[in-house]
């Protein structure tokens, strides 16, 4: 049984054997397990309030939500005897059709163990993050931050390619041979550990290169912000350290603030 705030979206699933509930309560009546995938916390809370769930039911929330919102929701549902698992997904509509993707889950381990086979059938990959209910919510935001940040950088790389008259095919050929993400895990670990000993690329050389990127007058706000971080790290004596030293201010100083 399916329900959607836009009824036509739910009705599209009737061809696959689903029955449309006109309200959350109608969709949830008699259900042992209720799955939610909504746009934000208020929509999740509203649907749950209307669903009229009783003790013994289980809620699996796939929505991308605020960690604080998930923590409060888990506590409220626990008080009423309703099982809860937050299990946001990394998957596109096509991934959903192909049952491929990633679910990250946290909360009540007993609930997870009970529903894990069903979750695995949905995506093929399920990552358990522990019993802190809001950890999956925070982890989903981290994953989205990587994706959004990467797209922001790629937009400016494409802008630079056009400014430097580099054909798109040349850019893509480069990325087929050179993948900076290969080194991402190592540099992330070094930043987390505060290890900025010189490696293959010092801050001084990275600063020089960013200056070359921006020197032609390209309006690239992401790289302009990176240049500011580099200047700050250089002023603190970091020029001969690994260029990941810009993470010292971001991760250690500003992360605490």
């Amino acid at each position: 049984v399916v329900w959607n705030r836009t009824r036509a979206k739910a009705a599209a699933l009737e061809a696959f054997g689903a029955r449309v509930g006109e309200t959350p309560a109608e969709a949830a009546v008699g259900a042992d397990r209720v799955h939610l995938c909504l746009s934000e916390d208020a929509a999740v809370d509203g649907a749950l309030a209307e669903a009229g769930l009783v003790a013994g039911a289980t809620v699996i929330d796939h929505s991308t939500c605020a960690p604080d919102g998930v923590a409060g929701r888990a506590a409220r549902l626990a008080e009423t005897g309703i099982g809860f698992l937050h299990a946001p997904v990394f998957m596109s509509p096509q991934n959903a059709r192909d049952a491929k993707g990633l679910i990250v889950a946290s909360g009540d381990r007993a609930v997870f163990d009970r529903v894990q086979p069903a979750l695995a059938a949905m995506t093929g990959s399920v990552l358990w993050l522990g019993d802190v209910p809001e950890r999956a919510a925070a982890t989903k935001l981290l994953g989205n931050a990587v994706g959004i940040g990467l797209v922001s950088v790629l937009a400016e790389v494409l802008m630079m390619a056009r400014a430097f008259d580099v054909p798109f095919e040349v850019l893509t050929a480069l990325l087929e041979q050179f993948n900076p993400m290969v080194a991402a895990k190592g540099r992330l670990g070094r930043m987390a550990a505060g290890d900025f000993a010189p490696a293959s690329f010092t801050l001084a050389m990275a600063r020089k290169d960013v200056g070359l990127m921006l020197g032609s007058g390209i309006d690239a706000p992401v790289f302009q912000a990176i240049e500011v971080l580099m200047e700050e790290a250089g002023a603190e004596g970091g020029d001969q350290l690994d260029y990941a030293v810009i993470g010292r201010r971001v991760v250690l100083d500003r992360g605490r603030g």
Side-chain angles (χ1 to χ4, degrees):
V1 185
V2 295
W3 170 83
N4 193 288
R5 289 180 292 173
T6 303
R7 192 187 188 285
K9 293 182 179 180
L13 298 176
E14 289 180 306
F16 300 92
R19 178 168 63 84
V20 176
E22 298 299 330
T23 65
E26 184 179 325
V29 65
D32 294 324
R33 191 173 75 233
V34 174
H35 291 257
L36 299 172
C37 191
L38 292 154
S39 59
E40 36 79 32
D41 287 273
V44 174
D45 287 334
L48 287 174
E50 294 181 44
L53 300 176
V54 298
T58 297
V59 172
I60 313 295
D61 183 14
H62 302 290
S63 312
T64 299
C65 293
D68 288 349
V70 172
R73 198 168 300 122
R76 291 192 299 273
L77 291 173
E79 290 175 356
T80 61
I82 297 172
F84 176 76
L85 189 74
H86 193 232
V89 298
F90 291 96
M91 56 196 304
S92 66
Q94 187 59 51
N95 290 147
R97 296 184 189 99
D98 296 338
K100 294 180 180 178
L102 172 65
I103 285 177
V104 292
S106 64
D108 187 328
R109 182 60 194 249
V111 173
F112 175 77
D113 289 342
R114 187 166 67 250
V115 305
Q116 192 275 339
L119 298 182
M122 292 165 59
T123 64
S125 183
V126 182
L127 180 61
W128 172 245
L129 301 177
D131 59 3
V132 177
E134 63 270 29
R135 180 155 296 154
T139 303
K140 174 63 189 300
L141 292 179
L142 294 179
N144 282 4
V146 172
I148 293 167
L150 181 60
V151 168
S152 301
V153 168
L154 288 176
E156 294 195 357
V157 168
L158 182 58
M159 186 190 308
M160 292 178 192
R162 290 172 174 171
F164 296 148
D165 197 25
V166 175
F168 180 74
E169 295 76 13
V170 173
L171 174 60
T172 55
L174 169 66
L175 295 178
E176 288 174 1
Q177 300 295 322
F178 168 64
N179 180 6
M181 294 302 293
V182 172
K185 184 177 179 181
R187 280 231 153 69
L188 182 65
R190 294 186 68 179
M191 282 193 285
D195 176 13
F196 304 116
S200 59
F201 199 23
T202 64
L203 176 65
M205 296 305 294
R207 289 177 68 189
K208 180 266 296 182
D209 288 354
V210 171
L212 294 175
M213 297 170 199
L214 299 176
S216 59
I218 297 172
D219 183 17
V222 173
F223 278 90
Q224 289 164 0
I226 291 171
E227 186 176 46
V228 170
L229 291 173
M230 289 181 161
E231 289 172 352
E232 292 175 351
E236 295 172 353
D239 267 343
Q240 298 310 311
L241 298 176
D242 186 85
Y243 77 106
V245 72
I246 63 174
R248 179 169 62 193
R249 294 189 61 82
V250 175
V251 176
L252 301 181
D253 297 343
R254 294 175 183 172
R256 295 193 189 104

